[in-house]
Amino acid sequence: MPGPSLRPLRRRALFPLALPALFQPALAQAQARADGDGSLARPRSRGRLIVLNTTAMALPAEARGASYRLHDPFNTAVATRIAEELGLVCEVMTQAGPGLLPALLAGEADIALPTPLTRRTARSVMLSHPHAILDAVILSALPGRLRGPEALAGLRVGVLEASADAFGQDAWLPAHALVSLLPDLPAMEEALLARHVEAALLPAPQARALVARNPGSGLGARFALRPFTYAAAVRFGDHDLLRAVNACLAEMLHEGTLAALFRRETGLALPPLAPL
């Protein structure tokens, strides 16, 4: 009498081995659905989240007289946390001057951080919930007291090109101030010390850093003009990436990490943040 056929057993033995092959297309489709618009698939495919960092909140890393290296530990820490939440390595690329958003739109990075939150930037990119607010202060070495915007009449006021590009050249300065655009913080410091400008508009931590670097120069923060609000920027259409960024920022805000980082790196309390 012939024994039982081995063919069904062979099929049963091979079926578990075929499971991965059967489910691989389904897994790929599920991943594609999770990525939605593909904005998460791009950084995942390379294993890195590329973040463009402007010098808008950067501070001098060394004392005056040493090489002028700027660093932005607050936004670097925020970018690193976002990348970790996505299971990725964070690569931060510094973009000086007004080229931040053009570089993002050209596909050189996934996120631009920090980006000034203005109508002008909102026309070009999608913005996350705000993650930082800093007072813009007037810094000056003039011997007389500057009591308010009216005191800027006829004065040359230095403004960083990146700030002017985002906010508009004179959108937040009185019309009677004479705006001088400067490329970066080192140029701003030299212009103030050489009296090429009589005042400068800077975020509070940068103004404090320049005062600390130049004791005896007479530099001092005179009054606050307006707050700068910052967010992360992504390209239009990158909705899944934006949702991931917002989820991470919301978690950092809820657990207190964002406020703790802000105080540690800027020396200031984080003002209340309202979602967009």
Side-chain angles (χ1 to χ4, degrees):
M1 185 174 179
S5 170
L6 295 179
R7 191 169 299 163
L9 293 175
R10 193 176 296 117
R11 282 199 297 268
R12 286 194 293 272
L14 292 176
F15 183 71
L17 298 178
L19 283 174
L22 291 173
F23 281 101
Q24 191 168 4
L27 291 172
Q29 291 172 6
Q31 182 67 63
R33 284 194 299 272
D35 288 344
D37 52 35
S39 56
L40 292 178
R42 291 193 298 270
R44 282 174 177 159
S45 67
R46 72 173 91 91
R48 292 175 293 122
L49 183 73
I50 302 177
V51 179
L52 280 175
N53 176 241
T54 182
T55 54
M57 291 177 63
L59 301 172
E62 289 90 13
R64 184 165 173 79
S67 59
Y68 209 118
R69 182 174 63 89
L70 295 173
H71 69 151
D72 186 355
F74 172 71
N75 286 290
T76 298
V78 172
T80 301
R81 174 68 178 268
I82 294 170
E84 288 174 349
E85 290 292 319
L86 293 172
L88 302 172
V89 174
C90 183
E91 179 181 342
V92 177
M93 301 169 53
T94 301
Q95 176 69 50
L100 181 76
L101 295 186
L104 176 68
L105 295 174
E108 296 179 20
D110 304 301
I111 298 172
L113 179 78
T115 303
L117 200 161
T118 68
R119 290 187 180 91
R120 180 175 292 196
T121 54
R123 288 197 295 265
S124 303
V125 294
M126 295 194 300
L127 294 162
S128 73
H129 299 325
H131 79 297
I133 299 177
L134 291 170
D135 280 337
V137 301
I138 293 296
L139 183 69
S140 179
L142 292 177
R145 294 186 62 186
L146 300 178
R147 298 179 181 274
E150 295 74 18
L152 300 176
L155 296 185
R156 294 166 298 179
V157 182
V159 178
L160 295 178
E161 288 179 353
S163 298
D165 182 68
F167 287 96
Q169 180 170 332
D170 55 1
W172 23 247
L173 281 172
H176 51 251
L178 306 177
V179 175
S180 295
L181 297 182
L182 295 162
D184 50 35
L185 196 61
M188 180 75 79
E189 182 176 25
E190 294 305 320
L192 280 166
L193 296 176
R195 302 296 176 93
H196 295 152
V197 295
E198 288 87 20
L201 177 75
L202 289 170
Q206 290 184 345
R208 292 171 59 185
L210 294 193
V211 171
R213 280 168 55 86
N214 297 281
S217 65
L219 281 176
R222 304 306 178 87
F223 60 89
L225 191 61
R226 60 154 293 167
F228 285 75
T229 303
Y230 297 101
V234 302
R235 288 179 292 273
F236 277 117
D238 286 359
H239 297 283
D240 292 322
L241 179 57
L242 182 63
R243 279 192 287 269
V245 171
N246 279 334
C248 183
L249 292 177
E251 183 178 4
M252 292 182 71
L253 185 62
H254 178 72
E255 67 188 16
T257 307
L258 198 64
L261 280 172
F262 191 83
R263 181 177 287 279
R264 187 184 75 189
E265 304 303 346
T266 69
L268 302 168
L270 181 65
L273 298 171
L276 289 176

